[in-house]
Amino acid sequence: MVHPTGASVTRLNAAPRQVSFHRSELSVILQLYGRMVALGEWRDYGISMLRDVAVFAIFRRAAEHPLYRIEKRPALAGRQGQYAVIGMDGRILKRGHDLRTVLRVLEKKLIRAVED
């Protein structure tokens, strides 16, 4: 960006080219993922980093649709919260500002899997 005086100016609040999960966010997600893999509930995952959203997709088998999608949408951080867990049918199971709190909806499934 060029300032009217001709000086070069860097925009500090420029939108990122793509949304991604931070290392600390991935750590929280992978802890849950590891427990569910150990129980045999989940077997594969995929990560997509797009312009508006980062998605961690969880699969029972690699060739099917994801069981769950964990999405990060920074544009919603000031409203409903930037994190969401979405089911296979597209329903939002939980949305919020804190990733650990949002993932609790999946931990309920973990507790049920242990009890079965």
Side-chain angles (χ1 to χ4, degrees), residues 34-50:
R35 291 189 307 231
M36 293 301 271
V37 167
L39 290 170
E41 294 292 312
W42 299 344
R43 296 204 177 160
D44 201 7
Y45 71 89
I47 298 176
S48 299
M49 292 177 279
L50 307 170

Side-chain angles (χ1 to χ4, degrees), residues 19 37 59 68 80 106:
V19 176
V37 167
F59 299 88
Y68 303 103
Q80 305 108 321
L106 296 177

